[in-house]
Amino acid sequence: MIDIHCHILPDLDDGSDSLETSLKMAEMAIEDGVTHVIATPHANNHYPFASKLVRSRRDELQAKVGERLLIGTGCDFHLSYENFEALREEPAQFALNQKTYLLVEFANFSVPASLDQTLHQIQLLGLQPIITHPERNPLIRSDWERLWRWLHQGCFVQITAQSLSGGFGERAQTAAETLLDSNAIHFIASDAHNLTSRPLRLRPVYELVAERKGDEIAQALFEENPRAVFEGCALPYLPVPPDLKASRAQKESGRRKRFWFF
Ligand SMILES: [Fe+2]
């Protein structure tokens, strides 16, 4: 398996707090069957992104781990005005493994209407946005139609493995299942931060997905699509996004029912 979103590098953000923890996270990943990870420290107002420092921490960890786990770098890109301006200056430094895909995280309590346009501008910079864990965002999961629109616009979706196993609560779990059953997911990643509450472990959720959707889909979400991101290639598994007209009709009929009820 290949993990495209984790906070394995030491002392950069709220992820690993020491080289020792990072090494243990790497051992945990190897034991789990993970062969590559992309270390994605936060890039936001609280944790500014310093690409040279990220690369040196990566080199230090890679030297200790050896070839059993290949470590690339990228970032967990928070979509803010300042970050977007920095992205325009030098898009590749923020991209996953410095190729063409970009993890994009939204604020939990504000998803502005201008976001559709901003995502398009990111695409015009030559990057392919991957929307991170929408199942954990109360605003996005209250209205899937916006996410379906971003999928039709050519964006991709990554969910957190632990959401599917209930680690982020019932709402995130139900939302993750809805996305999985709607074929609206391209990647499942650990978003690991530590050794206990947010571990770098994917196997149990791989099994859950294989049971619910079949082994081929599990392979695509945990291995084949993530590999394409690592290498900067086109995704081999590209499900057809949910139908926008059907989703609007469903929402409208729900609204009418509520109107008659009251
Ligand atoms: Fe993250």
Side-chain angles (χ1 to χ4, degrees), residues 221-245:
L221 300 178
F222 286 89
E223 167 107 34
E224 290 159 12
N225 275 359
R227 185 180 299 280
V229 165
F230 204 90
E231 292 170 356
C233 308
L235 300 188
Y237 169 67
L238 264 183
V240 177
D243 190 286
L244 269 171
K245 273 189 194 159

Side-chain angles (χ1 to χ4, degrees), residues 5-7 40 42 76 103 105 133 136 191-193 198:
H5 183 169
C6 64
H7 300 256
T40 52
H42 290 292
D76 194 353
L103 287 185
E105 183 200 48
H133 45 69
R136 286 163 48 194
D191 199 358
H193 278 63
R198 307 279 299 273

